[in-house]
Amino acid sequence: MDEEGRGQTWHLLDLPWEDVLVPHILSCLPLQHVVRLRRVSKQFHGLVQVYLANCRTFNFSAIGPSVPKEAFCEMLKDNKVLQNLSLQNCSDWVTDKELLPVVGQNPHLQRVDMSGCASLTRHSLVAVSLSCTHLQHLGLAHCEWVDCLSLRSLADHCGGLRSIDLTACRQLKDDAICYLAKKCSALKSLSLAVNANITDESVEEVAKNCRGLEQLDLTGCLRVRNQSIRTLAEYCPKLQSLRVNHCHNVTESSLDPLRKRDVTIDVEPPLPRALVLLQDMLGFAPFINLQI
């Protein structure tokens, strides 16, 4: 280092922002820490805005409850390169008004999680389907505003969808799920849990159209029966996980072929379940001759 360089004082913000600070320092910090840096000075505020404008992933699940809606809009106003957006735990404040501009200027979104965002409406889902045609993963768990028409819009425009969580979307019925299955045949993961409207018709249509399906959650789907589970076993050779807890009309006769393929099922087979109950009652595991 020359004599002039030795006498000069260097500050953090003197480093190149877009080449050093943004990709190598800010990108390693949790989002809540980055947001706090904006309050340090005008220069730090500017640096953070450059970082936020170039972020490809925004996960508000950790800081959602403490983020004012105005701050959300300010943080994302310049971002047009988002690929992943998670709004879990933002149900207290996020509405269509805040979300629609973000979706409209980010057509490259591939993963969006709106689970639990009760104040949104079907307009947000329609906006996502129209703007984000490359969408692959969508979380809508406990979004009871999701209806058949908005889901059809999603199916029409996002045919490359790989996973979707529709847990407790209780407005949805068989016709909407069947339409989704026909249009989004590349689905690998699907949750239809906690929806009493879902019947064998939906499960069979999913099985016949989405043959690469790996994970299916039917927890609490009381009208699903053995017939559709057998169809699932026949048409989905790549199935890895099936959840049928509280599906009282699904019995071991349809689950056993899947167990033999090492599919993970959240319901224990009848004999082990009975043995556990017996052990709890007796205080020890009895010997039972299974060859009788």
Side-chain angles (χ1 to χ4, degrees):
M1 183 180 294
D2 56 23
E3 293 296 328
E4 181 179 354
R6 289 174 183 169
Q8 189 172 354
T9 302
W10 295 91
H11 300 280
L12 177 64
L13 294 178
D14 293 328
L15 294 171
W17 287 11
E18 295 188 10
D19 294 331
V20 178
L21 294 181
V22 168
H24 299 292
I25 297 181
L26 294 191
S27 62
C28 299
L29 298 177
L31 182 59
Q32 56 266 42
H33 294 170
V34 173
V35 172
R36 288 171 188 160
L37 278 176
R38 298 166 76 235
R39 307 171 188 170
V40 174
S41 68
K42 289 184 178 180
Q43 276 191 302
F44 268 106
H45 185 281
L47 171 63
V48 171
Q49 284 303 117
V50 171
Y51 167 75
L52 295 175
N54 289 279
C55 262
R56 284 171 168 74
T57 296
F58 264 90
N59 187 346
F60 287 90
S61 59
I63 63 171
S66 61
V67 175
K69 62 175 66 179
E70 296 79 9
F72 173 82
C73 298
E74 175 70 16
M75 282 190 285
L76 292 178
K77 67 177 183 179
D78 299 321
N79 192 307
K80 298 179 181 179
V81 296
L82 264 185
Q83 294 181 0
N84 305 302
L85 177 63
S86 176
L87 296 173
Q88 283 184 310
N89 297 326
C90 298
S91 59
D92 291 340
W93 55 266
V94 69
T95 67
D96 293 345
K97 182 179 179 181
E98 289 77 45
L99 183 58
L100 291 180
V102 175
V103 170
Q105 67 188 29
N106 283 284
H108 303 295
L109 276 167
Q110 297 179 11
R111 183 185 296 268
V112 177
D113 192 348
M114 298 184 279
S115 296
C117 293
S119 298
L120 295 176
T121 72
R122 62 186 303 273
H123 298 297
S124 285
L125 181 53
V126 172
V128 168
S129 65
L130 294 177
S131 299
C132 311
T133 54
H134 301 291
L135 193 68
Q136 294 185 9
H137 307 279
L138 181 60
L140 294 169
H142 302 283
C143 294
E144 298 198 22
W145 44 265
V146 176
D147 61 9
C148 295
L149 287 178
S150 57
L151 191 70
R152 281 176 173 262
S153 175
L154 177 74
D156 283 334
H157 296 94
C158 301
L161 207 61
R162 294 291 189 272
S163 69
I164 182 168
D165 188 347
L166 297 171
T167 298
C169 293
R170 296 185 178 90
Q171 288 195 55
L172 298 178
K173 298 180 180 179
D174 282 333
D175 58 343
I177 302 303
C178 291
Y179 192 83
L180 176 73
K182 291 174 181 176
K183 291 286 188 174
C184 301
S185 58
L187 276 175
K188 294 182 180 297
S189 178
L190 172 64
S191 176
L192 302 174
V194 200
N195 188 342
N197 297 321
I198 300 302
T199 71
D200 285 342
E201 182 182 355
S202 289
V203 180
E204 291 189 353
E205 204 65 37
V206 169
K208 292 175 181 178
N209 288 278
C210 307
R211 301 195 180 189
L213 193 69
E214 297 175 359
Q215 299 176 337
L216 179 61
D217 190 347
L218 299 172
T219 302
C221 294
L222 303 178
R223 299 170 67 188
V224 172
R225 300 174 183 273
N226 284 331
Q227 175 186 342
S228 60
I229 301 301
R230 293 190 182 101
T231 304
L232 189 69
E234 179 182 355
Y235 285 92
C236 298
K238 297 182 180 180
L239 191 67
Q240 298 174 6
S241 172
L242 176 63
R243 303 180 68 84
V244 288
N245 200 19
H246 303 298
C247 296
H248 303 303
N249 294 312
V250 175
T251 65
E252 190 61 22
S253 64
S254 63
L255 296 176
D256 184 62
L258 292 170
R259 293 192 200 279
K260 291 177 179 177
R261 285 166 34 188
D262 292 327
V263 175
T264 301
I265 300 175
D266 64 337
V267 175
E268 292 291 336
L271 184 58
R273 193 186 317 157
L275 286 175
V276 169
L277 292 174
L278 191 57
Q279 182 177 355
D280 288 342
M281 293 172 60
L282 300 178
F284 63 92
F287 172 76
I288 299 178
N289 187 352
L290 299 180
Q291 294 181 341
I292 297 176

